[in-house]
Amino acid sequence: VIVTLAGGVGAARFLAGLLDVVPPGDVTAIVNVGDDFVLHGLSISPDLDTVTYTLAGEVDRQRGWGRADETWLVMEELERYGGQTWFGLGDRDLALHLYRSQRRAEGATLSEITAEVARAKGLGVRLLPVTDDRLATKVVVPGEGELAFQDWFVGRRHALPVEAVRFDGAAESRPAPGVLDAIASADLVVVAPSNPVVSIAPVLAVAGVGEAVRRRRDDVVAVSPIVGGRALKGPAAELLSTLGAGATAVGVARWYASEVGTLVIDELDTSLASEVAATGVRCVVTDTVMRDRAAAAALARVVLGAVEP
Amino acid sequence: VIVTLAGGVGAARFLAGLLDVVPPGDVTAIVNVGDDFVLHGLSISPDLDTVTYTLAGEVDRQRGWGRADETWLVMEELERYGGQTWFGLGDRDLALHLYRSQRRAEGATLSEITAEVARAKGLGVRLLPVTDDRLATKVVVPGEGELAFQDWFVGRRHALPVEAVRFDGAAESRPAPGVLDAIASADLVVVAPSNPVVSIAPVLAVAGVGEAVRRRRDDVVAVSPIVGGRALKGPAAELLSTLGAGATAVGVARWYASEVGTLVIDELDTSLASEVAATGVRCVVTDTVMRDRAAAAALARVVLGAVEP
């Protein structure tokens, strides 16, 4: 089984490619829930939904999140009340949020609900939220104090500089059922090309998960989300630059040095390969830009071959 | 000021007629919240919304509730997850529920939210939930035990016989700000043609409200929701028959005898006028069937003239 630690859009695209290469029953995704929050009384799990919609072939490819062919009647009407429309929930997307919120009120765990949704969509892959407990990513912005992740990421369009990131609840959280076993028994653990600081770090912060991954370090392959000093999507470069070891493939290698045995970097960064290797992380160079499904599948094949058996 | 104790559809139609006769600033509606419940994580207030949509000219006239020209994309999609679609929430209607739920999470009271929504829709009338506290109508069904109101009313289409009705939380509930003052200072208190057992009784059950209305008994006029032994809409006849004093205008008079000085009954029930009077409630006979807005306005005029100044 291939276990993938996943954030949102980048992870979802990688997983779609991976599923073109291995049967869905051989894939387990452990997904970040640090971005989860409640708005309008609804339980929102952005990364789980991006992965689910992408693997179901329902995602809006342009945006990378939400449903394709979406309509926005509810949000347009909410605008008339002066309601909170800063976080876009399309009409079809809302249905999943109603379902999740009701099931949570009935006592179902996020794991159970995620499995129900995957089943309803006919996904053979196993999707696990990293924890069923509360985990809330907070960012500290100079002059503003601590913001909830989505208030910063979507509400303020991640334009404000961040001086610290904190994963509220991480110490008390328990890995969701199956998470530790999946990591311990995986043939390969892949760290998807997601934001290391705010997508993968909260996954590793759940009590026991980081330790479990470190124990498998030789079998852990990460794909660098930084190509040519920039993130293909989102604020990974800025965050690695401020909080990490620099917004380059080398910075990613340093960031992941304890957990990751092999880092896959882009051909654009070939010149950094020896510097990556010098951090103690094996380096594999390939085309990592998933411009289409075929490119994602090709990347998945390289990742699968990155660790010699 | 004319204060109207209101349930859902019948009250909303009466209020629309009343507003054709008196300026909106002279009308206060005190609305039942015993039907309120939470589903999908959303705070649902059916009677408040029916009154609001009706007075805003937005209601679906056929159904009597929800929005006109409504679409049902979210519910159709929710069906795909096997979600709870028994309580119909149209797309535009959902926006109000998102707004209310978010405002409640922010700490706003139901009164405040109701006023905000009325303002957003440009309603000049004052809408007050009878209480900002929890009030939950429960029905006892033989062989099934106690059901939440909506589970019986919508979920089971009020087909099951009811042996008792209970207003959970009534004793601990406090009238919403303005409710007792409005009743005490009203020129006239109107009990709308709503279900006496499950729409008006919970209003009167809120601590202090029944007492306040009884103190104004001479100035209280009710419109019978029973015409020719039948309710025009909903289960009022069955409930009055089982739990009350019979499903006739006389039964309504007996039911309301402590609170209501004058009962307006339909011309179809002219023969019952003396029997109504014998219960100690003055009787006024008119056409009470609000087949259109003009009929509702005519009824409102009769109600306004029913108590001699």
Side-chain angles (χ1 to χ4, degrees), chain A residues 39-42 58 67 71 73-74 77-78 80-81 84 91-92 95-96 98-99 101-102 106 121, chain B residues 39-42 58 67 71 73-74 77-78 80-81 84 91-92 95 98-99 101-102 106 121:
Chain A
L39 186 68
H40 320 301
L42 300 174
E58 295 177 334
R67 296 283 300 267
T71 54
L73 290 169
V74 179
E77 184 70 19
L78 183 58
R80 288 187 52 204
Y81 297 107
Q84 301 211 17
D91 299 329
R92 284 165 190 79
L96 175 49
L98 266 57
Y99 180 76
S101 305
Q102 175 60 19
E106 290 165 5
K121 295 191 183 288
Chain B
L39 186 67
H40 320 301
L42 300 173
E58 295 177 334
R67 295 284 300 267
T71 53
L73 291 168
V74 179
E77 184 69 19
L78 183 56
R80 289 186 52 203
Y81 296 106
Q84 300 213 16
D91 299 328
R92 283 166 190 79
L98 265 58
Y99 181 77
S101 305
Q102 175 60 19
E106 290 166 4
K121 294 189 182 291

Side-chain angles (χ1 to χ4, degrees), chain B residues 207-231:
Chain B
V209 174
E211 181 55 30
V213 173
R214 284 189 285 278
R215 238 178 270 134
R216 300 301 311 275
R217 185 177 183 277
D218 289 349
D219 302 307
V220 179
V221 179
V223 178
S224 172
I226 301 289
V227 173
R230 296 171 51 196

